[in-house]
């Protein structure tokens, strides 16, 4: 059991890296594709919206499919489709074919994104402690790998078509090879416990809670999208930094995001997911306020670092909470939260751009401060209120527990044979990561 669970966790890491690599491979080839198709920046911006729309649609389809067919079927299938569709934008020869290619690639990428996140929820549930942030950190690793591959291929004079075909082909092989290690669909016994604990009124309450999580995801990912597109321009246009120095603004933000996600799981296990969201959003508010009003380069770098570090653990906690809200509908719930969050990611750069017609760029960032403060205030939605099923690695035993306001698990019933840990597990309060 432990070996298969470890294998499922490793496979989940692989798919997150794979998804990040595929998206990163497209991103680093955008300039070459733009030149091949012969479109302006403005036209390209409109076409990229189609990529987002395709991703949103893919998420809404793949989420319910994952609940029905299981992640072991949907995750590798979307991984194969995403890898196969990567080359399509490089083959486009006019705006219409590029539009179709981006819609298809976005649809496949969105499907992979939500299905692998739904599987990550089940892995986290089986582990009995937070592991979601670590998965999201490896997505960033995939982006780095894509940049290295693209740089090497470009230096060797290899065309984008060949590079993207190669990356896509390798991704298809990896997606298929990793499928066997994924967890099967949750057993019927697990679904029975969930149904007994979630009557119709409870399910309606769960749906409302999931949409609240989705709104928070929209705000957090809007902030992240704004940082992706405007951090370097802030240093260049507002503080007068050189292009080389300005590029480090996004690098600082991205490095802080990755570092924070590598640390967030341990912090969530100790303090609870609500604390991660609340204090992380508050830290992000401080950071972006420092960016908005700081007059020096060092204040800008410090602000972007705090902004990235604060935001880093927020999205994984929201995705995790959506999946755990109703394990029988984890895929559908994650698709709602991820889908609305993705809308925020796409809207962020545009909203800030529109505000620059009214105020200076740095002052437009005050909107991000307000969104972070609102997220911190709304973090209470992560407070567990109902009985949940605590995971068990010991055969088929079922441990029923309820989480308190601090994110700890209160064991109030133990059924089945506990075996050698019989003396260790008693009704009472124990840290989340120590439930057996």
């Amino acid at each position: 059991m432990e070996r298969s669970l470890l294998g499922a966790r490793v496979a989940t890491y692989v798919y997150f890296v794979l998804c990040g690599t595929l998206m990163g491979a497209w991103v680093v080839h955008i300039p070459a594709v733009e030149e091949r198709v012969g479109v302006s920046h403005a036209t390209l911006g409109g076409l990229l919206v189609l990529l987002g729309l395709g991703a949103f649609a893919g998420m809404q389809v793949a989420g319910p499919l994952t609940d029905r067919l299981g992640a072991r079927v949907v995750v590798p299938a979307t991984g194969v489709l995403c890898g196969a569709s990567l080359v399509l934008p490089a083959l486009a020869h006019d705006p219409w074919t590029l539009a179709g290619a981006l819609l298809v690639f976005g649809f496949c990428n969105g499907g992979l994104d939500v299905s692998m996140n739904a599987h990550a929820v089940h892995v986290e549930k089986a582990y009995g402690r937070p592991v979601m942030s670590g998965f999201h950190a490896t997505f960033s690793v995939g982006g780095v790998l894509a940049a290295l591959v693209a740089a090497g291929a470009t230096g060797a004079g290899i065309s984008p078509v060949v590079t993207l075909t190669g990356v896509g082909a390798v991704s298809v092989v990896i997606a298929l090879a990793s499928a066997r290690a994924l967890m099967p669909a949750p057993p019927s016994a697990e679904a029975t416990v969930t149904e007994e604990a979630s009557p119709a009124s409870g399910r309606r309450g769960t749906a409302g809670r999931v949409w609240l999580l989705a709104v928070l995801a929209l705000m957090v990912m809007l902030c992240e999208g704004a940082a992706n597109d405007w951090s370097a321009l802030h240093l260049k246009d507002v503080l007068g930094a050189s292009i080389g120095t300005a590029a480090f603004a996004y690098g600082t933000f991205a490095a802080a995001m990755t570092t924070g996600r590598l640390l967030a799981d341990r912090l969530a296990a100790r303090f609870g997911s609500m604390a991660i969201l609340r204090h992380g959003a508050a830290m992000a508010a401080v950071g972006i306020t420092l960016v908005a009003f700081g007059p020096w380069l060092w204040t800008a770098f410090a602000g972007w670092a705090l902004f990235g570090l604060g935001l880093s653990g927020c999205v994984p906690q929201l995705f995790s909470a959506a999946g755990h809200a109703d394990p029988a509908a984890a895929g559908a719930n994650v698709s709602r939260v991820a889908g609305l969050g993705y809308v925020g990611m796409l809207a962020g750069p545009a909203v800030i751009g529109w505000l620059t017609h009214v105020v200076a760029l740095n002052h437009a960032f005050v909107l991000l401060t307000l969104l972070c403060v609102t997220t911190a205030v709304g973090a209470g939605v992560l407070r567990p209120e109902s009985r949940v099923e605590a995971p068990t690695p010991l055969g088929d035993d079922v441990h029923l527990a309820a989480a308190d306001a601090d994110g700890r698990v209160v064991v109030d019933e133990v059924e089945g044979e506990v075996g050698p840990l019989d003396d260790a597990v008693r009704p009472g309060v124990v840290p989340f990561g120590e439930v057996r």
Side-chain angles (χ1 to χ4, degrees), residues 274-299:
M274 184 178 69
I276 297 298
L277 181 60
R278 175 163 291 163
H279 296 297
M283 180 187 296
V286 172
I288 197 63
T289 302
L290 192 60
V291 169
F293 297 104
W296 304 292
L297 286 177
W298 72 264
T299 57

Side-chain angles (χ1 to χ4, degrees), residues 15-425:
Y15 282 106
F16 269 80
V17 172
L18 187 67
C19 188
T21 301
L22 290 170
M23 180 54 72
W26 151 245
V27 169
V28 297
H29 282 94
I30 286 178
V33 172
E34 180 187 42
E35 183 178 355
R36 171 188 170 87
V37 176
V39 295
S40 65
H41 292 334
T43 302
L44 178 64
L47 292 172
L48 291 176
V49 173
L50 296 177
L51 176 72
L53 292 176
F56 181 83
M59 289 176 181
Q60 306 316 303
V61 172
L65 275 181
T66 304
D67 294 331
R68 176 172 297 187
L69 303 178
R72 184 176 280 183
V73 174
V74 180
V75 173
T78 53
V80 168
L81 291 174
C82 193
S85 63
L86 176 63
V87 70
L88 295 180
L91 295 174
H93 53 79
D94 58 45
W96 293 106
T97 53
L98 181 57
L102 292 179
L103 271 173
V104 173
F105 177 64
F107 183 90
C108 298
N109 187 267
L112 174 59
D113 194 317
V114 77
S115 60
M116 71 185 187
N117 270 287
H119 181 261
V121 168
H122 291 303
V123 172
E124 183 176 63
K125 185 170 184 291
Y127 261 90
R129 58 184 173 84
V131 294
M132 182 65 80
S133 294
F135 293 137
H136 282 250
T138 56
F139 180 90
S140 302
V141 173
V144 174
L145 288 176
L148 293 174
V149 170
T154 301
I158 301 175
S159 71
V161 173
V162 174
T163 302
L164 294 180
T165 299
V167 173
V170 172
S171 299
V172 168
V173 173
I174 293 174
L176 292 173
S178 303
R180 183 181 294 272
L182 295 175
M183 294 177 66
S188 58
E190 207 168 300
T192 300
V193 173
T194 302
E195 290 174 4
E196 292 175 355
S198 303
S201 60
R203 289 184 181 277
R204 286 194 295 270
T206 297
R209 182 168 181 259
V210 168
W211 283 115
L212 287 176
L213 293 171
V215 171
L216 292 178
L218 183 148
M219 292 190 289
V220 170
M221 295 181 72
L222 189 152
C223 292
E224 187 176 338
N228 290 342
D229 283 25
W230 291 103
S231 54
L233 286 172
H234 163 254
L235 258 72
K236 177 179 177 292
D237 295 346
V238 177
L239 299 180
S242 65
I243 295 178
T245 300
F248 282 104
Y250 173 71
T252 300
F253 171 79
M257 283 277 288
T258 304
T259 301
R261 285 178 172 170
L262 291 173
L263 299 174
D265 285 332
R266 291 180 178 272
L267 295 175
R270 182 176 179 85
F271 301 107
S273 58
M274 184 178 69
I276 297 298
L277 181 60
R278 175 163 291 163
H279 296 297
M283 180 187 296
V286 172
I288 197 63
T289 302
L290 192 60
V291 169
F293 297 104
W296 304 292
L297 286 177
W298 72 264
T299 57
F301 282 118
W304 286 119
L306 284 175
F307 194 52
L309 195 62
L311 292 179
S312 62
C314 294
V315 168
Q317 306 311 313
L318 294 169
F319 282 18
S320 177
H324 290 301
D326 184 358
N333 289 337
V334 171
S335 71
R336 294 186 182 103
V337 175
L340 203 55
Y342 204 85
V343 170
M345 177 78 78
L346 294 173
V351 170
I352 295 299
W354 178 81
L355 285 176
T356 58
H357 294 293
V358 182
V359 297
L361 173 59
N362 56 318
H363 295 156
F365 292 151
V366 173
L367 172 65
L368 307 184
T369 300
L370 296 176
L371 293 177
C372 290
V373 170
T374 303
T375 301
V377 173
V381 70
L382 293 184
R383 180 182 290 110
E385 295 178 352
S386 60
R387 291 169 63 82
V388 296
E389 180 189 351
T392 172
L394 299 175
D396 296 325
D397 300 336
V398 177
H399 299 173
L400 298 181
D404 64 11
D406 296 322
R408 299 177 299 173
V409 174
V410 183
V411 178
D412 59 6
E413 182 180 352
V414 179
E415 299 177 0
E417 297 180 1
V418 181
L421 295 180
D422 188 45
D423 293 332
V425 181

